[in-house]
Amino acid sequence: VLLVDDDALVRSGLRIMLAGAQTVEVVGEAGDGNEVLGAVDLHRPDVVLMDIRMPQLDGIAATRLLLAQPDPPAVLVLTTFDADELVLRALQAGAAGFVLKDTPPAEIVRAIELVHAGDGMLSPKVTRRLISMVVGDSDAGARAEQARDRLATLSPRERDVALAVGRGETNAEIAAALHLSVATVKAHVSRLLDKLDVDNRVQIALLVQDAERALVDRPDSSRPRRE
């Protein structure tokens, strides 16, 4: 894990906390977003724990730059507020999830393990809260219809998996519900990333939420009428 935070005390606290985790090793630190690319090249982390608010280059811009690189690490955003507009922007930029700065140590370790394994850190409740912050903007309608059109390109089974990801289910939960192996679910998720042109399963979830918004917001005249 690479720690990125402009507060040296926060970085020190995280390093001490993660030192007790058997599955996690802190390989380096960065004090601002503009140091991230160099630190990643030097330390080759699997996961970047990224502060969202930094004075020179914030975590959103740093995430976007990092994920444009070949074979980038997963990004887990550190934040103070769970339904902040900046969190949504970071997720849209490609972050695999987020954790609050006051999250208990064991849960932060679990979050790191999950994003490293390819699972997202975004519950359905939080997804809806984040999406609700942007449904009123000028692009919301077009974005929702585009999301619906993109999901329409999926096979029925791919769509089932995408909807389950949108509900915040893990690969194991999806496998149990759809009577598939976990390996098959992982293969479906990989195909979804390619077909939907997204970076991770959190972006699949955001796309699903947008598509469902299109169905909710569609005028009644476009729906079948009951006789």
Side-chain angles (χ1 to χ4, degrees):
V1 174
L2 175 72
L3 305 178
V4 183
D5 197 296
D6 64 306
D7 190 329
L9 288 176
V10 171
R11 296 198 308 273
S12 178
L14 287 169
R15 180 180 281 274
I16 293 171
M17 180 197 72
L18 294 174
Q22 295 183 347
T23 58
V24 175
E25 177 187 1
V26 176
V27 295
E29 300 180 11
D32 196 81
N34 57 15
E35 301 175 10
V36 169
L37 292 185
V40 167
D41 285 341
L42 178 63
H43 300 291
R44 308 307 302 171
D46 300 301
V47 177
V48 175
L49 201 54
M50 181 90 74
D51 186 19
I52 203 168
R53 290 177 173 83
M54 292 179 284
Q56 298 180 48
L57 190 71
D58 65 28
I60 299 167
T63 296
R64 190 174 292 113
L65 285 174
L66 180 56
L67 295 180
Q69 306 303 308
D71 194 26
V75 176
L76 187 60
V77 169
L78 278 170
T79 182
T80 305
F81 304 104
D82 63 352
D84 194 308
E85 181 185 356
L86 294 179
V87 174
L88 178 59
R89 289 171 53 196
L91 296 172
Q92 291 172 330
F98 68 91
V99 289
L100 298 177
K101 289 191 175 182
D102 60 357
T103 298
E107 293 183 24
I108 292 182
V109 171
R110 180 59 177 158
I112 292 170
E113 293 172 340
L114 283 172
V115 299
H116 181 232
D119 285 327
M121 282 297 300
L122 194 62
S123 72
K125 179 180 179 181
V126 171
T127 302
R128 287 193 294 271
R129 288 171 61 189
L130 291 169
I131 291 296
S132 70
M133 293 190 298
V134 296
V135 296
D137 67 37
S138 59
D139 297 327
R143 188 176 60 248
E145 290 296 335
Q146 288 171 3
R148 185 181 62 82
D149 291 342
R150 290 164 72 183
L151 290 184
T153 66
L154 304 179
S155 70
R157 179 58 81 191
E158 289 169 343
R159 184 177 178 84
D160 289 341
V161 173
L163 293 176
V165 171
R167 292 191 294 269
E169 296 177 13
T170 65
N171 288 342
E173 291 169 338
I174 297 170
L178 298 180
H179 307 290
L180 301 170
S181 69
V182 172
T184 299
V185 173
K186 288 182 177 179
H188 278 304
V189 172
S190 293
R191 284 196 292 273
L192 287 173
L193 296 177
D194 289 335
K195 293 183 72 170
L196 298 175
D197 191 25
V198 293
D199 296 309
N200 54 54
R201 64 192 297 127
V202 169
Q203 289 188 326
I204 295 174
L206 294 176
L207 191 67
V208 168
Q209 294 293 330
D210 271 338
E212 291 179 347
R213 174 66 57 180
L215 295 176
V216 169
D217 291 345
R218 187 171 298 170
D220 290 340
S221 60
S222 66
R223 298 172 180 162
R225 293 181 179 274
R226 292 183 179 180
E227 299 295 341

